[in-house]
Amino acid sequence: MIAALEIVSVFRQTNYMDSRAETILEIVREVAEMRRTAEEARLDGATIGFVPTMGALHEGHLSLMRRAARECALTVASVFVNPLQFAPGEDFDAYPRLLDHDVVQARDADVAMVFAPTAGEMYASRPLTKVHVSQLDQPMEGALRPGHFDGVATVVAKLFNIVGACKAYFGEKDFQQLAIVKRMVFDLNFPVEVVACPIVRENDGLAMSSRNQYLTSAERQAAPILYQALTEAIAMVGRGQRDASRIVAEVSERVKSEPLAKLDYVQVVDATTMQALNVIQDNSRLLVAARFGKARLIDNVAL
Ligand code: AMP
């Protein structure tokens, strides 16, 4: 792994403005260097585009990076599997770590800099401070993964403090996370513009995810049931259905009809507040989570 990293690191970037033309990429391991480089770029008048990830990059991540590179002078992607957002017994140890692959993918997506700190660099000692976004973290993922969103909000706050003022690109794939990050930025006045990006899917509709790697081939074949059920919900609304409970019932039934799927939740919520809705209105979002063997998959659509 180190050998490939070094090869890419040889192309140490000296001028971020040339990054697209020369497809050079710098790997930054230390907080102080990341902060200094971003600060210098801003002093030069560059807009920084920032894409936080946990790595094992796929087209979903790369779509965020390409967009950031189109819209900003310097694109920074972070690759960090954040221990704080995993509960004991979750897949922290199993989570795919593919930094060489990620660096090459990120470079091809016009990223100029990959910030890949170690856990020790990010958390020199166990943090006594955590960021907690209340209410929005209560339903769905927050209910099933207690403490998860505190871990997410805390690491995103740290990353925003390290990278500084930027446009930060997040996928709608993790819709509750996106709502929580937006609210944290609003409440705490981070100098960050959060840009929401659409979900990238496989040809059969399955939302791309690093966790899709956990699926057996039978589970992979079964997994598109999630998007099929969500698509049927959109069709119901198109036919005039406004009763959220009818939509939830239909989606639940569809997912449960797949023997390999274990449904965790289906919920219709307000896209900003995450409050459950009884009636479909503007800004309604339908979210679903289900387990397929070792993989826990989430997906969502606007209604
Ligand atoms: P992760 O590495 O899973 O933490 O994801 C990093 C970022 O990529 C988050 O903002 C995700 O929402 C986004 N992302 C992951 N999968 C997709 C996808 N299929 N389409 C769009 N964005 C995605």
Side-chain angles (χ1 to χ4, degrees):
M1 176 161 110
I2 296 302
L5 276 182
E6 282 169 359
I7 291 167
V8 181
S9 299
V10 166
F11 299 98
R12 190 180 158 82
Q13 184 190 356
T14 50
N15 181 348
Y16 53 86
M17 290 300 186
D18 293 341
S19 63
R20 262 166 268 180
E22 298 182 13
T23 58
I24 48 180
L25 181 142
E26 182 173 5
I27 299 163
V28 176
R29 295 295 214 158
E30 289 175 6
V31 168
E33 188 188 353
M34 185 64 249
R35 193 194 295 278
R36 193 170 51 244
T37 313
E39 190 55 37
E40 279 167 11
R42 265 189 305 274
L43 284 173
D44 279 356
T47 315
I48 297 178
F50 178 44
V51 185
T53 81
M54 296 205 300
L57 300 182
H58 51 67
E59 255 322 295
H61 299 115
L62 301 178
S63 70
L64 272 52
M65 293 174 189
R66 284 193 213 98
R67 176 153 174 201
R70 278 200 305 275
E71 297 180 359
C72 305
L74 176 71
T75 303
V76 178
S78 61
V79 173
F80 180 61
V81 184
N82 173 35
L84 221 57
Q85 70 191 68
F86 290 80
E90 289 189 347
D91 59 341
F92 176 70
D93 291 329
Y95 201 86
R97 287 160 173 87
L98 305 165
L99 189 56
D100 314 6
H101 157 273
D102 290 346
V103 160
V104 173
Q105 297 283 307
R107 185 199 56 195
D108 291 349
D110 296 331
V111 167
M113 197 168 290
V114 168
F115 178 49
T118 61
E121 178 69 9
M122 282 296 275
Y123 301 109
S125 58
R126 191 176 60 83
L128 302 178
T129 306
K130 284 197 183 153
V131 180
H132 174 69
V133 181
S134 63
Q135 293 184 24
L136 277 66
D137 76 332
Q138 289 301 298
M140 303 180 292
E141 291 303 290
L144 283 157
R145 304 182 67 188
H148 168 67
F149 285 124
D150 287 1
V152 170
T154 302
V155 81
V156 172
K158 282 167 73 76
L159 291 166
F160 285 172
N161 280 330
I162 294 164
V163 172
C166 60
K167 284 175 83 168
Y169 295 78
F170 286 84
E172 290 182 334
K173 161 78 174 22
D174 299 272
F175 199 82
Q176 193 175 6
Q177 167 178 288
L178 171 64
I180 284 172
V181 169
K182 280 185 183 164
R183 185 66 197 214
M184 178 188 78
V185 164
F186 174 80
D187 285 344
L188 299 183
N189 301 91
F190 278 96
V192 172
E193 180 190 338
V194 175
V195 182
C197 304
I199 300 174
V200 178
R201 302 180 177 282
E202 303 285 358
N203 288 337
D204 59 9
L206 176 64
M208 290 193 184
S209 165
S210 306
R211 290 189 166 98
N212 291 350
Q213 296 183 24
Y214 300 154
L215 296 167
T216 64
S217 64
E219 289 158 0
R220 173 64 190 82
Q221 283 196 331
I225 189 76
L226 293 183
Y227 186 58
Q228 287 159 15
L230 295 177
T231 309
E232 174 54 24
I234 293 171
M236 287 173 79
V237 174
R239 292 193 294 269
Q241 181 59 260
R242 290 289 175 273
D243 182 341
S245 68
R246 300 287 284 272
I247 291 168
V248 166
E250 173 66 25
V251 172
S252 303
E253 208 169 294
R254 284 225 167 198
V255 175
K256 286 179 183 162
S257 73
E258 169 49 61
L260 294 177
K262 302 248 178 316
L263 185 66
D264 273 349
Y265 61 78
V266 182
Q267 209 160 325
V268 177
V269 298
D270 177 278
T272 309
T273 65
M274 298 290 115
Q275 297 284 320
L277 295 175
N278 296 323
V279 179
I280 303 303
Q281 57 187 44
D282 286 351
N283 210 27
S284 298
R285 201 89 191 180
L286 171 63
L287 292 87
V288 64
R291 283 162 289 133
F292 295 77
K294 280 192 256 171
R296 194 166 170 282
L297 305 184
I298 58 175
D299 201 347
N300 67 87
V301 289
L303 285 184

